[in-house]
Amino acid sequence: MNIFRKITSYRESMIIIIFLLLCAVTTIVNPAFIRSRNLISIARSVSLDLLPAIGVTLVIACGSMDLSCGATLGLVGIVFGYLYGMQGMNIWLAFAVAMVVSVAIGAVIGVIVANLNVHPMIVSLAMQKVCRGLIDVIAGGRSMTGFSDAFNEIGQGTLFDIPYTIFYALVFLILAVIFTKRTVCGRIFIAIGGNREATRLCGINVKRYKVVVHIICSVLAGLSGIMLASRLGSAQPTAGTSQDLNVVAACILGGNSLAGGVATMVGTLVGVAIMATITVALTMMRVSAYWQNVCVGVILIIAVCMDDIKNMAKLKA
């Protein structure tokens, strides 16, 4: 009993148990689920979604919100693909320009949210529309191709049959855990989300950190966009279209509170894994893609309601 209580005392415990149950049920329904090829496919999907999820986790922990990470991912990928693949620009210069675009997106959202007190959902949704519009202007519905084999190897290569992208994601996850638990900046993000006014009274420039956290979120989404372009061998104008809400749902499922003040990267990882596993499980059960969208929407509603119930319970306590 004491061991059980110790295990369940961790914030991520219940979500890990839910994930394991989901895997068990899916395996019973379709034993092909646990084949190595299928598990690697899920892990690759998780690795590509984890970077923007880490960024959104930091934003939520800081008491803000960003619904534009999928559009940012798509735009940065298209900009990089256009400059490097279609125009033949030097790869490092194209990468630098694409990253500047991601920084600009995060800076615009952060400045408006921090200085004009506009709700972050409204700002990020507006930026989402801007990014999607720019994607259409640049790409015109076309895929950006012409990448070198060396660049494609970054996203398509494997080490001992394990995709490189999984290793990249693990490195970013470890860095994110260290950042939130061991660095002053990471702790300030969480402090702002927990009590903004108290943090301001301690002499911390809250507005500056709000801008910084949105820039970090956009940069991580942009890196994911370039990784996805390498994985596909082309930059697709539809990239990231479903990630805006999926990433938020994964973060909340992982135990991160919309009220702010919490940043559990392990929980975010499990939340992303659950979203990816549900998609694969429904596909293996031959469930229509339309119903898959319905399931994601229901999951998001449940996650938000559970988060609200937890926050109400804390207030009553």
Side-chain angles (χ1 to χ4, degrees):
M1 181 64 76
N2 289 333
I3 295 176
F4 179 77
R5 286 179 179 177
K6 187 174 182 179
I7 292 174
T8 55
S9 65
Y10 294 102
R11 177 177 290 274
E12 301 87 355
S13 298
M14 289 309 299
I15 191 65
I16 292 174
I17 292 171
I18 291 172
F19 173 64
L20 294 175
L21 288 174
L22 174 63
C23 292
V25 171
T26 306
T27 302
I28 292 171
V29 174
N30 191 337
F33 175 78
I34 58 172
R35 289 179 180 173
S36 59
R37 181 180 298 179
N38 189 57
L39 295 178
I40 289 176
S41 177
I42 294 174
R44 179 185 280 119
S45 177
V46 170
S47 67
L48 293 171
D49 290 343
L50 186 59
L51 264 65
I54 289 172
V56 172
T57 298
L58 293 173
V59 169
I60 292 176
C62 198
S64 191
M65 176 57 70
D66 194 331
L67 298 175
S68 67
C69 61
T72 301
L73 179 157
L75 178 59
V76 171
I78 286 294
V79 169
F80 176 80
Y82 176 76
L83 295 175
Y84 172 56
M86 306 298 286
Q87 299 300 316
M89 182 181 285
N90 176 273
I91 185 171
W92 293 110
L93 183 57
F95 176 79
V97 173
M99 285 297 97
V100 168
V101 171
S102 66
V103 170
I105 292 170
V108 170
I109 295 174
V111 168
I112 294 175
V113 170
N115 293 283
L116 301 180
N117 292 322
V118 181
H119 198 286
M121 277 193 179
I122 303 299
V123 181
S124 57
L125 279 173
M127 185 56 72
Q128 180 190 113
K129 289 294 184 182
V130 170
C131 291
R132 287 296 167 195
L134 289 174
I135 289 172
D136 293 335
V137 170
I138 297 171
R142 300 171 299 158
S143 300
M144 302 289 108
T145 57
F147 300 153
S148 68
D149 292 338
F151 174 73
N152 290 338
E153 182 69 13
I154 294 173
Q156 299 174 12
T158 60
L159 178 64
F160 304 117
D161 292 329
I162 300 175
Y164 289 155
T165 54
I166 295 176
F167 295 108
Y168 306 150
L170 286 174
V171 170
F172 276 99
L173 179 66
I174 293 170
L175 291 175
V177 172
I178 295 172
F179 178 77
T180 53
K181 293 186 179 298
R182 301 293 182 182
T183 68
V184 174
C185 185
R187 290 176 178 176
I188 288 175
F189 287 160
I190 297 172
I192 292 172
N195 192 324
R196 173 173 177 161
E197 186 60 20
T199 306
R200 186 187 66 81
L201 292 174
C202 289
I204 293 172
N205 191 330
V206 172
K207 292 181 179 180
R208 181 185 301 168
Y209 280 95
K210 283 274 189 178
V211 175
V212 170
V213 77
H214 277 284
I215 290 175
I216 292 174
C217 181
S218 293
V219 167
L220 289 173
L223 287 172
S224 181
I226 293 176
M227 283 175 55
L228 181 61
S230 174
R231 163 67 187 139
L232 299 176
S234 64
Q236 301 291 333
T238 56
T241 50
S242 63
Q243 282 187 302
D244 298 306
L245 287 177
N246 285 8
V247 167
V248 173
C251 292
I252 301 171
L253 274 174
N256 298 287
S257 174
L258 283 173
V262 177
T264 165
M265 294 300 169
V266 174
T268 295
L269 171 64
V270 180
V272 172
I274 286 177
M275 298 298 290
T277 302
I278 288 174
T279 300
V280 171
L282 292 176
T283 301
M284 294 181 72
M285 296 175 190
R286 298 180 181 179
V287 176
S288 166
Y290 304 120
W291 281 107
Q292 291 181 25
N293 289 332
V294 172
C295 290
V296 170
V298 171
I299 290 169
L300 181 57
I301 292 172
I302 293 173
V304 171
C305 290
M306 289 176 61
D307 179 63
D308 190 54
I309 291 170
K310 285 192 295 183
N311 290 333
M312 289 177 63
K314 287 181 181 178
L315 290 174
K316 289 181 179 179

